[in-house]
Amino acid sequence: MLRLSGIRHLYGARVALALERFEAGAGEHWLVHGASGSGKTTFLNLVAGLLTPSEGKIEVGGEPLAKLKGSALDRWRGRNVGIVPQKLHLVRSLSVLQNLLLASYMAGLPSNHARAAELLEKLSLKEKAAAKPHELSHGQAQRVAVARAVMNRPKLLLADEPTSNLDDANSVQALDLLQNQAQECGATLIVATHDQRARARFEKRLELIT
Ligand code: ADP
Ligand code: MG
């Protein structure tokens, strides 16, 4: 499903990530862990095609990402990759429902109201459909970000530090939600975190060393 080989990524002269080989199968749930600065966010951005590696090759579903450029890459990402960024990046001026529908629009797909309604119902957000992001609790905002990420039933679901600033009970809920939604889409899940509490939940782990 996902294969990285001979990857090095540099910012200026500094190597931020070096990874000889990494493979994740369809539907697998992976934890990418390591200290702050070890390259976890860089790893996710490379896999999502938001960054181009300085060296090496990334393939998703047998397709090399390097083949995709510009709007074709954006459309591919919108249809195949769900991203829950660390700072959720909900659009402040749009309602919860509009934030979800934006995911279809960005992928060049027709607005899928039925899918949005299904997710709002499943993630206990129905009453918040018309609310703006600033009217949500952190937990609700995070659920909206997860819902937006899975709107188009991605093959890959990526989450960056999804448990940061959460107490134990909420961090369990956040990881449950990601794992359940990934399973529901049959997506490969990759959670990047320095949070030790997440370790025990993932059999498949990639440790990045600074
Ligand atoms: P992590 O998510 O594990 O904390 P990052 O991938 O954010 O790690 O960063 C890895 C290294 O690359 C760090 O040393 C960080 O300072 C550096 N880095 C990350 N993004 C940039 C950038 N845009 N420009 C320059 N250096 C960066
Ligand atoms: Mg990070």
Side-chain angles (χ1 to χ4, degrees), residues 12-13 28-29 32 37-38 47 53 68 72 75 97 101 116 131 146 168 172 174:
E28 291 180 354
H29 293 186
V32 174
S38 58
V47 167
L68 297 166
R75 210 165 41 245
L97 174 62
L101 296 175
V146 173
D168 288 352
V172 167

Side-chain angles (χ1 to χ4, degrees), residues 124-139:
S124 313
L125 290 164
K126 223 167 128 185
E127 291 72 37
K128 296 290 173 187
K132 295 279 169 63
H134 74 269
E135 297 169 312
L136 305 174
S137 72
H138 179 69

Side-chain angles (χ1 to χ4, degrees), residues 139-204:
Q140 289 165 342
Q142 198 179 36
R143 295 208 295 283
V144 175
V146 173
R148 180 187 55 185
V150 298
M151 260 298 280
N152 303 328
R153 300 189 171 277
K155 293 197 187 82
L156 259 178
L157 179 58
L158 311 176
D160 200 358
E161 306 282 2
T163 60
S164 62
N165 307 319
L166 295 181
D167 61 24
D168 288 352
N170 282 302
S171 98
V172 167
Q173 272 185 20
L175 293 170
D176 278 347
L177 176 59
L178 286 163
Q179 293 191 298
N180 290 338
Q181 287 302 311
Q183 193 163 20
E184 217 259 317
C185 298
T188 302
L189 172 67
I190 304 181
V191 171
T193 185
H194 70 278
D195 187 345
Q196 292 295 333
R197 295 176 300 183
R199 272 185 68 101
R201 300 177 57 113
F202 292 81
E203 278 174 28
K204 300 198 177 286

Side-chain angles (χ1 to χ4, degrees), residues 11-12 14-16 34-43 160-161 208:
Y11 298 105
R14 196 178 177 290
V15 179
S36 172
S38 58
K40 302 182 295 296
T41 298
T42 301
F43 175 87
D160 200 358
E161 306 282 2
L208 300 179

